[in-house]
Amino acid sequence: MNLNKLNRILLQTMLLPVVFLLLVAALLIWQVRNAEQTVERIQVANQNIATASLINALMVDEETGVRGYQNTSNEIFLQPYEFAVNPLQDAFASLRAGITAEHGDTRPINDLVAAHQRWVTTIAEPMIETVRNGGNTRDPGANLRGKAELDNLRSISAGIIDTEKQKNALAVQRWQVQVSDTLYGIVGASLISGILIGAFARNRIHAVTSAFQSTLIALRDETQSTYESEQRLLATLTSIGEGVVVCNSEGCVELLNAVAEQLTGWSQKDALNLAVQQVFVFADETTHELLENPFDHVKRTNRLTGTLHALLVQRDGSVLQIDCSGAPIHDRFGTILGVIIVFRDVTEQRRTQAALMASEKLAVAGRLAATIAHEIHNPLDAVVNLVYLMKSGSTPEETQQFLQMASAELDRVTQISRAMLGMYRESRTPVALEIKPIIESVLVLLERQLARAQIQITSIIPNNAVVTGYPAELRQVFTNLISNAAEASAPGNTIEIVARIVSSTHGRPHPRPGVAVIINDHGTGITPADLDRIFQPFFTTKGEHGTGLGLWVSQGIVQKHGGSITVESRTSPIDKGTTITVFLPRGEAELPTA
C-alpha cells in the first residue's frame, strides 16, 4: 500500500465520517425544525379551538340575554347580551388572525361574522326594540326565524371547531411521526458517530421534550378553562330568579335550581333521576286537565316551545299559575341531549291584572250608567211634556203629532236599554258575531254625548265582517276607543270608523283571516314619548279625569281574543290626529242559522 493510497484511505476515513455526521446533523436539524413547526401549528389550532369555544359561549350569553329580556321585559336580563358585544368582536378578530396564520380558509369565519350580524340586526335588535315598545314578542314565526339563525350560527361555529380539531389531530399525528423518525435517526446515528452524535441527539431531544411539555401545559390550561366555564354556567342556572328544570334525553331530572325547588315542592335530592312528568305536572288553567309536558313537546317537535300559560301542580297538590317554556339541548350533530324547562310564578300578577280589569269595568259601568240615566231622562221628560199638552186640550191633528213624537222618544229609550243589556250580557264561550251591530250599539249609547260635543261620525262597516269573541268585552273595547277619540277631538271634527275584512295570508301584519277595525280622529294627537307608554297601566294623558286603565284593559281584551291593537299618531300642525287599528281573528265559531 503506497503512501498516496494510505493518505487517500485516511482522508476517506476522516472525511466520510465528517460528511456523514454533517448529513446526519442536517437531517436531524431538518427533522427537528419540522417538529417545531408542527408544534406551532398544534398551538395555533388549539388557540383557534379555544377562541371558537369562547365565541360559542359569548353567543350563548347573547341569546340568554335576549330570551331573558323577551320573557321578563326587565333590562337587567339584557346585560349578558350587552356584555358579550365587545368581547365577541375581539374573539372574531382573534380567530380570523389565527386561521390566517395557519394559511387556512377564512371563508367560514367570514360567514360566521355575517350570520351573527344578521342575527343581531334581524332578530336580536328588533326583539329588544319590540319589548321596549311593549309590542308582541310571542310571534311563533319570529321565534322560529330566531332559532334558525342561531342554529345556523352554531352550525358554522361547529364546522370551524371541527376543522381546527382535524388540523390539530393531523398535526399531532404528523408530530408523532416526526418524533419517531427523529428518535430512530438519533439512535442510528449514535451507533455510527459515537459521543458527538449522542450529544447532539440529546440536545435535540431536550428541545423536542420542551415543546411537548409546552403543549401539555397548554392543553391542561384549556381543560381547566372549560371546567371553569361549565361551573359558571351551572352557577348561572342555579341562581337566576326563574325556575329551571334540566332533564336528559330520557326525560329524567338532572337539575332543579332553588326557585324550581320552591315552586314544585321537590328538592334536588328527591327529584334527581325521576321522570320530569312526575316532578313538573302541567294542567290547563280552565279545565284543570293534565296537559302535554314541555319535555314531551320539545322531544316530539325537536324545537323551542312558545311561552305557555298553565297551572303547576305542586308536590303537595296545591296549584300555581305559571308561564313556562322549553328548549332542546343539542350536540354538534343536532341530536337532543336533553331539555331545559324555564318557568315562573305569575299567580299574584294574574290576580293583580284581574283586579285592575274589574276596577276598569266598574268605572266603565259607572260612566255608562250615568250616561244612560241622562239619556233616558231626556226622552222621558219629552214624553211627560207631550202627555201634558195632549191633556191640555190639543186638537186631533196635534194629538196625533204628539203621539208620534212620544213614540219616537220611547223607541229611543228602548234602543238604549237594549244596548245596555247587550253590554253586560256576557257569554261563557266565544261566539261568532258581526262587528257592525256591536259598533252601532256603542254609537247609540254615545249618540247624545257626540252630539253635544259636535263630533261627527262616519262609518263604513260591511255586513259580513264576522269575528269570534265575547260581545260584551268587545263593546267595552270600542266604547273606550270611540270615547277617547271624541275626547281628543275639537267641536266640528269627524271620527272615521272603517272595518276591513282580512283574507287568509302568510304576509304581515295579519297572517290570519279576520276583521281590522280602524278608528281615526283628527284631535291633538299623542307625542312620541307618550305613545310608547299608552298601554302601560295607570298611565293617562287626561290628568285627574282619566284612570290610566282603559287602553291597558282594551289591549288585554283584544289579546285575549287572539288579536292585536296598534296606535299611530300625528302631531304636526298640518296633520294631527290618531289612528287606532284593532285586528280580531275570524276564529272557528259559526253564526247561528236562520
Side-chain angles (χ1 to χ4, degrees), residues 214-226:
S214 299
T215 302
L216 290 179
I217 292 173
L219 291 174
R220 184 177 59 194
D221 293 342
E222 178 62 25
T223 302
Q224 180 64 24
S225 176
T226 302

Side-chain angles (χ1 to χ4, degrees), residues 241-402:
E242 296 186 348
V244 177
V245 179
V246 180
C247 49
N248 59 22
S249 60
E250 302 300 324
C252 297
V253 175
E254 294 183 343
L255 171 68
L256 290 179
N257 69 347
V259 177
E261 290 181 330
Q262 177 183 358
L263 296 181
T264 62
W266 289 84
S267 66
Q268 168 73 20
K269 179 180 179 181
D270 294 340
L272 187 63
N273 294 326
L274 290 180
V276 67
Q277 294 86 350
Q278 180 179 351
V279 176
F280 192 73
V281 183
F282 207 50
D284 184 82
E285 287 184 312
T286 304
T287 64
H288 288 210
E289 295 180 356
L290 294 182
L291 299 176
E292 182 182 31
N293 193 277
F295 168 82
D296 298 324
H297 179 82
V298 172
K299 187 76 173 179
R300 176 171 53 82
T301 62
N302 194 21
R303 63 183 182 181
L304 181 73
T305 67
T307 299
L308 305 173
H309 310 292
L311 296 178
L312 173 65
V313 182
Q314 297 178 296
R315 189 176 186 180
D316 59 3
S318 57
V319 295
L320 294 174
Q321 290 181 306
I322 63 167
D323 288 346
C324 74
S325 61
I329 304 173
H330 294 110
D331 62 10
R332 62 191 183 94
F333 300 107
T335 303
I336 293 183
L337 299 178
V339 174
I340 181 170
I341 302 172
V342 181
F343 60 99
R344 60 191 177 97
D345 183 7
V346 296
T347 304
E348 291 301 323
Q349 177 183 346
R350 298 286 181 82
R351 289 175 181 170
T352 302
Q353 290 178 348
L356 291 176
M357 287 188 176
S359 175
E360 174 63 10
K361 287 184 177 180
L362 289 175
V364 171
R367 291 196 296 268
L368 287 176
T371 300
I372 291 169
H374 182 270
E375 294 299 321
I376 292 177
H377 183 267
N378 287 337
L380 289 179
D381 273 348
V383 171
V384 170
N385 291 333
L386 292 169
V387 171
Y388 173 76
L389 291 175
M390 286 186 288
K391 286 181 178 181
S392 299
S394 60
T395 65
E397 292 79 9
E398 290 177 337
T399 300
Q400 183 64 28
Q401 182 181 1
F402 291 159

Side-chain angles (χ1 to χ4, degrees), residues 37-49 95-109 159-175:
Q37 292 177 349
T38 304
V39 170
E40 292 175 357
R41 292 177 181 174
I42 294 173
Q43 294 173 337
V44 171
N46 287 333
Q47 181 62 37
N48 291 341
I49 293 172
L95 182 58
R96 182 182 285 106
I99 294 176
T100 303
E102 62 183 8
H103 305 290
D105 185 5
T106 59
R107 286 178 294 178
I109 181 61
I160 293 175
I161 293 176
D162 289 344
T163 301
E164 293 301 317
K165 286 183 177 180
Q166 291 174 3
K167 292 180 181 179
N168 182 62
L170 292 174
V172 170
Q173 183 180 3
R174 181 178 178 184
W175 176 81

Side-chain angles (χ1 to χ4, degrees), residues 49-61 64 161 220-239 255:
I49 293 172
T51 304
S53 300
L54 175 60
I55 289 174
N56 276 342
L58 291 173
M59 289 191 297
V60 169
D61 288 345
T64 302
I161 293 176
R220 184 177 59 194
D221 293 342
E222 178 62 25
T223 302
Q224 180 64 24
S225 176
T226 302
Y227 173 77
E228 292 174 355
S229 177
E230 291 177 351
Q231 292 302 308
R232 285 194 295 270
L233 179 60
L234 180 61
T236 300
L237 291 177
T238 56
S239 63
L255 171 68

Side-chain angles (χ1 to χ4, degrees), residues 326-489:
I329 304 173
H330 294 110
D331 62 10
R332 62 191 183 94
F333 300 107
T335 303
I336 293 183
L337 299 178
V339 174
I340 181 170
I341 302 172
V342 181
F343 60 99
R344 60 191 177 97
D345 183 7
V346 296
T347 304
E348 291 301 323
Q349 177 183 346
R350 298 286 181 82
R351 289 175 181 170
T352 302
Q353 290 178 348
L356 291 176
M357 287 188 176
S359 175
E360 174 63 10
K361 287 184 177 180
L362 289 175
V364 171
R367 291 196 296 268
L368 287 176
T371 300
I372 291 169
H374 182 270
E375 294 299 321
I376 292 177
H377 183 267
N378 287 337
L380 289 179
D381 273 348
V383 171
V384 170
N385 291 333
L386 292 169
V387 171
Y388 173 76
L389 291 175
M390 286 186 288
K391 286 181 178 181
S392 299
S394 60
T395 65
E397 292 79 9
E398 290 177 337
T399 300
Q400 183 64 28
Q401 182 181 1
F402 291 159
L403 285 174
Q404 291 177 355
M405 295 173 62
S407 177
E409 294 296 332
L410 291 175
D411 286 343
R412 173 162 175 78
V413 172
T414 302
Q415 285 182 332
I416 293 174
S417 62
R418 285 176 180 172
M420 184 63 178
L421 289 174
M423 178 71 76
Y424 292 98
R425 187 181 292 117
E426 180 60 274
S427 301
R428 293 184 178 272
T429 59
V431 297
L433 50 94
E434 294 190 41
I435 289 294
K436 186 173 183 178
I438 289 179
I439 295 180
E440 288 178 345
S441 65
V442 171
L443 293 177
V444 168
L445 294 177
L446 300 179
E447 181 179 352
R448 293 289 178 90
Q449 175 186 342
L450 296 171
R452 287 195 301 270
Q454 299 180 23
I455 303 298
Q456 300 294 323
I457 298 289
T458 63
S459 61
I460 303 176
I461 306 172
N463 292 323
N464 58 343
V466 179
V467 300
T468 298
Y470 299 89
E473 293 187 356
L474 293 182
R475 286 191 179 93
Q476 180 180 349
V477 170
F478 291 118
T479 300
N480 193 4
L481 297 181
I482 296 173
S483 297
N484 286 349
E487 292 173 1
S489 300

Side-chain angles (χ1 to χ4, degrees), residues 23-170:
L23 292 175
V24 171
L27 179 62
L28 291 177
I29 292 173
W30 178 74
Q31 286 281 23
V32 171
R33 179 55 183 166
N34 285 341
E36 291 176 344
Q37 292 177 349
T38 304
V39 170
E40 292 175 357
R41 292 177 181 174
I42 294 173
Q43 294 173 337
V44 171
N46 287 333
Q47 181 62 37
N48 291 341
I49 293 172
T51 304
S53 300
L54 175 60
I55 289 174
N56 276 342
L58 291 173
M59 289 191 297
V60 169
D61 288 345
E62 284 188 331
E63 179 188 6
T64 302
V66 171
R67 291 303 178 192
Y69 184 54
Q70 178 187 3
N71 291 331
T72 65
S73 300
N74 191 333
E75 290 287 341
I76 194 172
F77 287 91
L78 197 56
Q79 288 183 355
Y81 172 83
E82 295 171 343
F83 291 165
V85 172
N86 292 332
L88 192 57
Q89 297 303 319
D90 295 339
F92 282 145
S94 176
L95 182 58
R96 182 182 285 106
I99 294 176
T100 303
E102 62 183 8
H103 305 290
D105 185 5
T106 59
R107 286 178 294 178
I109 181 61
N110 294 334
D111 293 341
L112 181 62
V113 172
H116 175 264
Q117 184 62 31
R118 184 169 60 253
W119 175 81
V120 169
T121 56
T122 62
I123 302 299
E125 291 180 351
M127 179 67 70
I128 295 171
E129 188 65 21
T130 300
V131 174
R132 288 175 176 167
N133 291 335
N136 179 22
T137 62
R138 307 305 180 190
D139 184 8
N143 287 329
L144 289 176
R145 289 192 299 275
K147 177 181 180 300
E149 291 290 343
L150 289 172
D151 289 344
N152 184 37
L153 283 172
R154 295 189 184 99
S155 176
I156 297 173
S157 177
I160 293 175
I161 293 176
D162 289 344
T163 301
E164 293 301 317
K165 286 183 177 180
Q166 291 174 3
K167 292 180 181 179
N168 182 62
L170 292 174

